[in-house]
């Protein structure tokens, strides 16, 4: 896979022979004749007309991520949140139903329970490890299920093979946010996923310098199998004059053709060419970064588990985890660098811990080459009710860590500095 990280989607097609995909900083694209542009808008030919719906640099990113995920095609958009939003809007309609894991990133949970609910979609959340709950939650109007391959912030894994089997038996699409795992560690399509979404802002980029999102169609989703469930794809579109289920070809699937034509265009969730270029640069080192970061995170998680100030370590290597069997089976290459710790002393201890750090940076991003920390209960999950925050693993004393590429000894020393501050606060409180 390391070869694909560097080469997929680009073979020096540039007329000047550039070995690095160039930035196509153009908002519009010229055509030789009126008929050429007319046919492009009529969806009778392939190409670029206006950068709101795509550009050549973004196309390289789409092809590269699709190759890494073993998918049929991909669609690059402005952010990870845009990727989740567009993927779900393409599958769901007013009056339909979504079943989602109750352990999701706070921003995703807010979108589901607020904005998506405003659009007339009903949401049911379930314990991701309770397969019976998944079976009970699916209804005739259910069109999709949503999970994270590794949940944020506690890095929990799900039995995607089993969940996919349950969903597919009822003709329900499986959508997986695989931002934390990345295709370097796990490919959801190999375990039954129909659609994979990434916040490419995170590990795919790795440098914290660009925002982007990617939707991958793994090739499993076929709307014609149950045409009555997907009328927006299997019936003629009055707006576009095509049946999207017929739109297949290189870089194109029915779902992504519909998502690009309608939602990327209407929402304006365009990925700038410069951002696509920045993500491509990051992907070239993804395989190496994920191996190093995973090993460092596991080392630090083991050490943190022995510290008196830490009440709990929420890392896949921690003993007694309900997902231990899944981790051993599906993640032999590691589980990335995002995990959390629960500190004795609640929010005050978490604040003292974070403020005492000198090497680690207090920030809400993840997947950076720098180690980042934050307090989810007052940041990423702060708009959720307390009970929902607790279910998501964002307690009052929870600190999320996103381990970077620093030397493990330096990180251990800095975390020890934070723990000492948290311990001193606890001692004063006692």
């Amino acid at each position: 896979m390391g070869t694909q990280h560097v080469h997929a989607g680009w073979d020096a097609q540039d007329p000047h022979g550039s070995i690095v995909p160039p930035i196509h900083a153009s908002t519009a694209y010229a055509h030789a004749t009126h008929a050429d542009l007319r046919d492009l808008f009529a969806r009778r030919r392939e190409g670029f007309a206006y950068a709101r719906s795509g550009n050549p640099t973004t196309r390289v990113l789409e092809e590269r991520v699709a190759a890494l995920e073993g998918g049929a095609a991909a669609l690059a958009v402005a952010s990870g949140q845009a990727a989740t939003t567009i993927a779900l809007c393409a599958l769901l309609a007013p009056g339909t139903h979504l079943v989602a894991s109750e352990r999701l990133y706070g921003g995703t949970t807010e979108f589901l329970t607020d904005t998506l609910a405003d659009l007339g979609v009903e949401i049911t959340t379930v314990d991701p490890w309770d397969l019976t709950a998944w079976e009970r939650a699916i209804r005739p109007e259910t069109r999709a299920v949503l999970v994270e391959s590794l949940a944020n912030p506690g890095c929990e894994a799900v039995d995607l093979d089993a969940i996919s089997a349950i969903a597919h038996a009822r003709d329900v699409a499986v959508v997986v946010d695989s931002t934390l795992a990345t295709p370097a560690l796990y490919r959801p399509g190999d375990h039954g996923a129909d659609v994979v979404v990434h916040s490419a802002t995170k590990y795919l980029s790795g440098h914290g310098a660009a925002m982007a999102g990617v939707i991958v169609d793994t090739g499993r989703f076929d709307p014609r199998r149950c045409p009555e469930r997907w009328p927006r794809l299997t019936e003629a579109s009055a707006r576009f004059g095509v049946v999207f289920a017929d739109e297949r070809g290189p870089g194109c699937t029915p779902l992504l053709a519909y998502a690009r034509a309608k939602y990327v265009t209407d929402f304006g969730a365009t990925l700038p060419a410069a951002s696509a270029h920045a993500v491509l640069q990051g992907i070239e080192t993804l395989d190496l970064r994920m191996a190093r970061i995973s090993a460092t995170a596991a080392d630090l998680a083991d050490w943190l588990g022995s510290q008196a100030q830490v009440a709990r370590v929420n890392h896949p290597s921690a003993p007694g985890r309900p997902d231990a069997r899944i981790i051993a089976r599906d993640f032999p290459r590691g589980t990335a660098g995002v995990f959390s710790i629960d500190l004795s002393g609640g929010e005050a201890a978490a604040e003292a811990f974070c403020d005492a750090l000198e090497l680690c940076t207090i920030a809400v991003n993840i997947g950076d080459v720098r180690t980042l920390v934050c307090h989810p209960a007052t940041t990423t999950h702060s708009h959720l009710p307390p009970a929902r925050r607790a279910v998501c693993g964002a307690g009052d004393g929870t600190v999320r860590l996103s381990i970077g590429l620093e030397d493990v000894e330096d990180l251990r020393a800095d975390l020890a500095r934070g723990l000492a501050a948290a311990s001193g606060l606890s001692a004063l409180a006692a």
Side-chain angles (χ1 to χ4, degrees):
M1 185 178 289
T3 300
Q4 289 182 314
H5 285 88
V6 177
H7 293 284
W10 184 250
D11 57 2
Q13 303 157 14
D14 181 77
H16 303 292
S18 171
I19 63 173
V20 175
I23 301 174
H24 289 265
S26 179
T27 57
Y29 296 87
H31 298 269
T33 68
H34 160 75
D36 286 344
L37 191 56
R38 177 192 63 202
D39 289 348
L40 187 60
F41 272 80
R43 307 187 69 80
R44 290 192 291 266
R45 62 183 291 265
E46 170 73 10
F48 301 99
Y50 191 60
R52 185 161 46 142
S53 58
N55 64 67
T57 308
T58 303
R59 177 65 57 83
V60 178
L61 174 61
E62 292 168 345
E63 292 180 3
R64 184 163 298 178
V65 176
L68 293 178
E69 286 288 4
L75 172 59
V77 293
S79 68
Q81 190 75 8
T84 300
T85 298
I86 291 171
L88 293 180
C89 283
L91 290 166
L92 303 167
T96 60
H97 176 243
L98 170 74
V99 183
S101 166
E102 62 185 11
R103 291 177 178 266
L104 296 173
Y105 163 62
T108 302
T109 301
E110 290 180 38
F111 166 67
L112 299 183
T113 57
D114 187 6
T115 303
L116 196 57
D118 286 347
L119 298 178
V121 176
E122 190 173 352
I123 317 297
T124 299
T125 59
V126 298
D127 179 341
W129 297 307
D130 187 345
L131 297 179
T132 301
W134 286 102
E135 291 181 340
R136 287 198 305 261
I138 294 176
R139 315 170 186 169
E141 62 269 25
T142 306
R143 294 294 179 271
V145 300
L146 173 66
V147 299
E148 293 179 353
S149 57
L150 291 173
N152 178 358
C155 202
E156 298 95 355
V158 297
D159 191 341
L160 185 55
D161 298 84
I163 294 171
S164 295
I166 292 168
H168 291 157
R170 307 277 285 276
D171 293 308
V172 171
V174 178
V175 182
V176 179
D177 183 335
S178 202
T179 296
L180 265 63
T182 81
L185 301 178
Y186 183 79
R187 301 207 308 189
D190 295 343
H191 301 271
D194 297 287
V195 178
V196 181
V197 297
H198 287 279
S199 174
T201 310
K202 312 303 193 297
Y203 283 122
L204 293 184
S205 295
H207 41 57
M211 294 192 71
V214 183
I215 307 166
V216 179
D217 185 330
T218 66
R220 292 175 174 270
F221 178 69
D222 182 4
R224 288 207 181 279
R225 190 177 63 215
C226 295
E228 71 283 357
R229 293 175 67 80
W230 316 100
R232 293 185 295 179
L233 300 176
T234 59
E235 298 176 4
S237 167
R239 174 180 173 183
F240 297 103
V242 299
V243 176
F244 282 100
D246 295 336
E247 299 220 343
R248 301 174 184 274
C252 175
T253 68
L255 182 67
L256 295 187
Y258 174 66
R260 187 190 299 274
K262 181 171 182 175
Y263 293 108
V264 175
T265 301
D266 288 356
F267 292 168
T270 304
L271 179 64
S275 297
H277 183 268
V279 177
L280 284 165
Q281 298 303 297
I283 289 176
E284 291 181 350
T285 61
L286 177 65
D287 201 37
L288 298 174
R289 286 187 286 108
M290 296 309 289
R292 165 75 176 266
I293 287 170
S294 295
T296 300
D299 187 317
L300 292 172
D302 181 65
W303 172 77
L304 286 164
S306 67
Q307 304 306 300
Q309 304 93 328
V310 179
R312 180 182 177 89
V313 176
N314 303 298
H315 183 274
S317 64
R321 290 260 300 207
D323 58 350
R325 176 186 60 84
I326 302 166
I327 293 293
R329 184 191 69 191
D330 296 344
F331 291 88
R333 302 191 69 198
T335 55
V338 176
F339 67 99
S340 64
I341 57 175
D342 295 334
L343 296 174
S344 303
E347 181 182 343
E351 181 175 4
F353 172 86
C354 292
D355 287 350
L357 300 172
E358 297 178 3
L359 177 61
C360 303
T361 302
I362 302 174
V364 294
N365 192 25
I366 58 174
D368 203 317
V369 294
R370 289 156 282 271
T371 295
L372 310 176
V373 302
C374 75
H375 182 244
T378 55
T379 57
T380 59
H381 293 66
S382 62
H383 298 145
L384 301 179
R388 176 78 69 170
R389 288 202 304 268
V391 169
C392 291
D396 291 341
T398 302
V399 174
R400 184 184 71 184
L401 297 92
S402 174
I403 302 303
L405 292 178
E406 301 94 342
D407 290 337
V408 65
E409 295 83 3
D410 293 333
L411 289 172
R412 188 181 295 113
D414 199 40
L415 295 175
R417 187 179 296 110
L419 292 175
S423 178
L425 183 69
S426 298
L428 289 173

